[in-house]
Amino acid sequence: MTRVGTEFELTVDDVAHGGWCVGRRDEQVVFVRHALPGERVRVRVTEETSRFLRGEAVEVLTASPDRVEAPCPFAGPGKCGGCDWQHASLEAQRALKAKVVADQLRRIAGIDREVVVEELPGTPDGLGWRTRVRFAVDAQGRAGLRRHRSHDIEPVDRCLIAHPGVTELGVTDVTWKGVRDVEAVASASCADRAVVVTPTGAKLGALPELGTSSAVLRRFKGGRLQQVRGRRGVRENAAGREHRVSAGGFWQVHPAAADVLTDAVMRALEPEPGETALDLYCGAGLFTGALAEAVGPEGRAMGVESGADAVRDARYNLKDMEQVRVEHGDVAAQLREWADVRADVVVLDPPRAGAGVEVVRSLAATRPRRVAYVSCDPATLARDLAEFERARYRLVDFRAFDAFPMTHHVECLAVLEPVHPARRHRD
């Protein structure tokens, strides 16, 4: 008989990656949401495997001193799955994330390092920061958010972590007939707004009137976007430049993250005039532009990105810099083509899946003097750091940033140097 739906009491021992806490019942591991370490809770089982159970804390019997009242009425057992830690103070959230990151580094990469998760400016209550929110639409045309590990939709009247510009669009205030999902995009630095609509069928029907003017785009199966009304995306000001960012492209969703991370990367790499810099997974060119300014006209800043829209954005954003070159393609394949390029400094900001063995080995083979690795997933970051160590690169600095308050996500920056630095030769 399945134990899904059954309940039992459990003392929670620790925090685990992914927004879970963990305890043991009769020697079986139990992962629990909506709990905190040290608490005694009543757990309702939501999933059973041969090795562990997953569940939700439906009642708190002994509360942690770090527990607070969740600000959002849609946060909690069986509700919206977008936030993981609304029931914890912001200080406790950062401490939990720091422990998870440290645990991943130690367990996967064998790196023992104390981690501090730094608060980003502008969001002292942890709310109102997310500039891109993808709402799912139910059969009645109501916009909402997915429940945790489920296709079920929790209708919401607003999302408290959404940026005010997203809220002003009023996506949850109208009915979306014939629509599967709606992504709301707001610039953090100007009045640009956009919605990306995915229809349920082959045709896009009439759309509701939104609360504020915005561009409208349609998303096809496979991710291709088509302009319906207005520009293709939004403008973002960061690192001293204006960037055009396609509505479906990648950009840091916390308003302060782009500037904070650019500053951290540049401090870590210390690029010098005349050097060659690589920006792998360069997106719209945020780091590429900063690197290009530092290496100057006599240097080179070379980016590579697989997303066609992002490549177009990066080339447009950096068209005034002759030292910039942005290639469209797979990073591993491009590194093979660049095998003879001797980069001095490298930044890589891969998707959640990480860079992978081939990219790490190819990059390390060129022996850059310093590498800055930006990651939103500590598990894949730790895996890649272990591969860097095998390639004779050591971790010399590490920072973590709370770029996603109320959720389990955290942005990390790992700085690496070769164990035995090579003598630099200009191409």
Side-chain angles (χ1 to χ4, degrees):
M1 290 181 61
T2 179
R3 283 176 284 182
V4 173
T6 62
E7 297 183 4
F8 54 81
E9 293 185 11
L10 181 76
T11 297
V12 177
D13 300 320
D14 207 348
V15 63
H17 182 40
W20 302 91
C21 286
V22 63
R24 287 183 176 272
R25 182 174 186 261
D26 299 330
E27 299 306 312
Q28 185 172 38
V29 173
V30 184
F31 293 100
V32 188
R33 281 175 60 79
H34 310 296
L36 292 172
E39 291 188 330
R40 183 76 176 172
V41 297
R42 176 168 290 280
V43 177
R44 178 179 297 137
V45 178
T46 57
E47 187 178 337
E48 180 180 12
T49 76
S50 59
R51 297 182 295 114
F52 57 82
L53 301 176
R54 297 187 194 272
E56 297 182 314
V58 294
E59 183 182 0
V60 179
L61 305 172
T62 304
S64 164
D66 294 322
R67 179 171 283 274
V68 299
E69 187 74 23
C72 178
F74 304 106
K79 298 179 182 179
C80 172
C83 291
D84 308 289
W85 298 119
Q86 287 211 12
H87 57 286
S89 69
L90 287 170
E91 294 79 6
Q93 291 181 34
R94 290 191 282 272
L96 291 169
K97 294 178 185 185
K99 188 174 189 310
V100 166
V101 173
D103 287 348
Q104 297 296 303
L105 292 176
R106 182 173 55 255
R107 183 176 64 84
I108 299 173
I111 297 172
D112 284 308
R113 192 175 192 95
E114 182 179 356
V115 176
V116 175
V117 175
E118 303 173 35
E119 180 183 2
L120 292 191
T123 50
D125 59 0
L127 304 175
W129 53 268
R130 192 173 185 92
T131 56
R132 292 171 180 244
V133 180
R134 193 161 179 172
F135 295 93
V137 179
D138 66 14
Q140 288 74 48
R142 299 175 299 178
L145 298 164
R146 301 279 184 190
R147 294 171 185 150
H148 186 69
R149 293 176 66 84
S150 172
H151 293 294
D152 294 340
I153 298 171
E154 178 78 14
V156 300
D157 55 19
R158 65 173 296 192
C159 172
L160 289 188
I161 65 171
H163 187 276
V166 168
T167 303
E168 289 167 7
L169 285 167
V171 169
T172 60
D173 299 332
V174 294
T175 302
W176 298 88
K177 294 181 180 178
V179 170
R180 179 177 292 111
D181 60 61
V182 181
E183 183 175 9
V185 181
S187 168
S189 52
C190 69
D192 290 355
R193 308 285 182 262
V195 292
V196 183
V197 180
T198 307
T200 55
K203 293 184 177 182
L204 180 63
L207 297 176
E209 195 72 27
L210 294 174
T212 188
S213 62
S214 71
V216 177
L217 298 95
R218 174 192 174 162
R219 178 180 279 113
F220 288 89
K221 187 177 181 180
R224 183 174 67 87
L225 298 184
Q226 177 188 58
Q227 287 172 266
V228 176
R229 182 178 70 236
R231 66 176 79 236
R232 289 184 62 87
V234 298
R235 292 164 294 175
E236 296 282 4
N237 292 306
R241 297 180 66 85
E242 181 178 274
H243 299 78
R244 184 184 75 181
V245 185
S246 294
F250 173 78
W251 188 260
Q252 290 288 339
V253 293
H254 191 292
D259 277 324
V260 168
L261 289 171
T262 302
D263 179 72
V265 164
M266 297 302 289
R267 288 175 182 271
L269 293 179
E270 297 181 325
E272 298 176 0
E275 288 193 317
T276 294
L278 300 186
D279 184 5
L280 309 182
Y281 314 93
C282 69
L286 173 66
F287 298 138
T288 317
L291 290 168
E293 290 185 1
V295 301
E298 64 274 32
R300 292 185 297 177
M302 304 164 67
V304 58
E305 167 62 43
S306 62
D309 285 344
V311 170
R312 282 192 290 269
D313 288 340
R315 289 172 176 169
Y316 175 84
N317 294 333
L318 307 174
K319 63 182 182 295
D320 60 318
M321 295 182 168
E322 292 185 358
Q323 67 269 39
V324 169
R325 172 180 170 187
V326 178
E327 298 290 348
H328 178 209
D330 173 73
V331 168
Q334 190 62 53
L335 283 176
R336 290 194 295 269
E337 190 171 320
W338 285 347
D340 294 332
V341 173
R342 292 292 175 259
D344 297 286
V345 292
V346 179
V347 57
L348 62 161
D349 185 5
R352 194 160 290 145
V357 173
E358 183 180 358
V359 168
V360 171
R361 289 180 180 175
S362 297
L363 178 56
T366 69
R367 307 308 286 173
R369 66 172 176 82
R370 193 165 289 178
V371 176
Y373 188 144
V374 180
S375 170
C376 64
D377 190 300
T380 56
L381 171 62
R383 179 204 66 195
D384 288 343
L385 291 182
E387 191 62 37
F388 268 111
E389 185 175 9
R390 285 187 282 271
R392 306 294 290 161
Y393 269 75
R394 62 190 179 96
L395 183 68
V396 295
D397 195 14
F398 190 93
R399 297 177 69 182
F401 304 92
D402 195 14
F404 312 91
M406 303 296 177
T407 79
H408 75 270
H409 300 291
V410 58
E411 200 78 21
C412 298
L413 170 63
V415 186
L416 300 118
E417 290 180 350
V419 174
H420 300 293
R423 292 184 63 185
R424 308 310 301 165
H425 298 283
R426 298 280 181 236
D427 290 349

